Amino acid sequence: MIIIFYLFSFLLLAFALGTVLSKNLVHSALLMIGSFFAVAGLYILLQAEFLAMVQILVYVGAIAVLVVFGVMLTRKGSVKDSNLPNRYKKVGALSAVIFFALLVRSIINTSFPAPSSPVVGANTIIQIAQTLLTQYAVAFEALGVLLLVAIIGAIIIGKETK
Amino acid sequence: MIGLTHYLIVAAALFCIGAYGVVVKKNAIAVMMGLEFMLNAININLVAFNHFLHPNLVLGQVFAMFIVGIAAAEVALGLAIILSLYRQRHSIAVDEMDILKW
């Protein structure tokens, strides 16, 4: 359990660092897919199996493919230098590290309450379905409408205007 | 024993890596990759809180699923905007996007 957690965390952070540090946009996109798989692994460790499958289907299957598609459509010049940092590289790195240190400090200094009730180990998919389709049914439908609007908007924005 | 703190620190590291990518990248697609990392970090947080504080509820997972859906919509629209920008200006470098500058 512990080894698997550290393995997935290491893979996730290594892939994510590789994504933001790589100078090649295609390498970045492929490393990003790897890090999404590592996130799915962490979800499985957290007993969120359904969310892990959603993560692989939506992020790896849809978002990553869409990003690679965008890379292919907008590539110009050499791929080797397609993902360069701008002139704020050092300031950005410094502020990210400082922000991380602050977050770690506050996380370590916080005492979280004990679990509200023991783990029942029930089938979470049934619970998720009941929650989504009763308590949050309106939000669920609104999300569907939002996706439809996003698709139509993407087609209208992306189509060739002559 | 792996507790809530471990997951929160991993998520914080992922969030900072994503924020770094958003701030320092020239390529608009790389900026969107950074945004995806930040959203994923939030999702890890939600699921970890769900698992360690309220294991009998699934509200954290349901909320994470909403975020995944919204991320999909955001990527579709963002890439369409990037594509349209590329058609007009033949570049997707975010520091060259200065049409609205006075």
Side-chain angles (χ1 to χ4, degrees):
Chain A
M1 224 30 194
I2 296 173
I3 295 171
I4 299 172
F5 170 78
Y6 280 114
L7 177 73
F8 277 128
S9 307
F10 173 75
L11 280 179
L12 168 62
L13 296 182
F15 282 143
L17 266 180
T19 306
V20 293
L21 294 181
S22 165
K23 285 191 170 63
N24 187 328
L25 193 58
V26 179
H27 290 178
S28 285
L30 295 178
L31 286 168
M32 185 184 73
I33 297 175
S35 67
F36 287 159
F37 269 115
V39 173
L42 285 183
Y43 287 162
I44 289 178
L45 276 183
L46 287 167
Q47 294 175 344
E49 295 89 1
F50 181 65
L51 197 59
M53 290 305 124
V54 168
Q55 168 87 7
I56 289 176
L57 279 178
V58 176
Y59 270 100
V60 182
I63 291 181
V65 170
L66 213 57
V67 167
V68 174
F69 184 71
V71 170
M72 296 306 161
L73 277 175
T74 52
R75 193 161 56 86
K76 193 180 79 175
S78 166
V79 204
K80 280 196 176 112
D81 298 321
S82 51
N83 194 9
L84 294 175
N86 60 19
R87 60 185 183 279
Y88 301 116
K89 189 181 177 185
K90 281 175 188 155
V91 185
L94 186 69
S95 39
V97 168
I98 291 174
F99 186 56
F100 177 61
L102 279 175
L103 281 180
V104 169
R105 197 185 124 90
S106 47
I107 288 168
I108 288 176
N109 287 338
T110 311
S111 59
F112 295 102
S116 58
S117 63
V119 187
V120 281
N123 193 347
T124 53
I125 295 176
I126 294 171
Q127 267 186 297
I128 289 172
Q130 279 171 349
T131 316
L132 266 183
L133 294 177
T134 56
Q135 196 179 354
Y136 292 104
V138 178
F140 186 62
E141 299 298 331
L143 184 67
V145 174
L146 173 81
L147 278 170
L148 179 69
V149 170
I151 292 166
I152 296 172
I155 292 170
I156 290 173
I157 294 172
K159 81 175 176 199
E160 207 135 10
T161 45
K162 280 280 159 67
Chain B
M1 189 59 205
I2 301 295
L4 178 56
T5 315
H6 295 76
Y7 283 97
L8 292 187
I9 288 176
V10 169
L14 187 63
F15 187 87
C16 291
I17 291 171
Y20 172 77
V22 170
V23 172
V24 306
K25 282 299 181 184
K26 252 184 188 172
N27 193 315
I29 290 178
V31 171
M32 275 181 44
M33 289 179 187
L35 274 177
E36 293 311 312
F37 281 134
M38 290 164 85
L39 288 170
N40 263 293
I42 305 302
N43 275 352
I44 293 175
N45 265 3
L46 286 171
V47 179
F49 276 124
N50 188 165
H51 180 255
F52 285 104
L53 298 188
H54 294 282
N56 53 340
L57 297 173
V58 289
L59 292 184
Q61 294 184 36
V62 168
F63 210 92
M65 226 168 292
F66 281 120
I67 292 183
V68 169
I70 287 169
E74 172 243 323
V75 167
L77 273 181
L79 280 173
I81 292 171
I82 290 172
L83 203 61
S84 152
L85 268 174
Y86 182 74
R87 286 218 185 92
Q88 285 193 8
R89 320 202 78 190
H90 298 284
S91 155
I92 51 168
V94 280
D95 41 4
E96 289 170 26
M97 302 303 159
D98 49 5
I99 320 173
L100 289 181
K101 227 177 185 177
W102 63 86

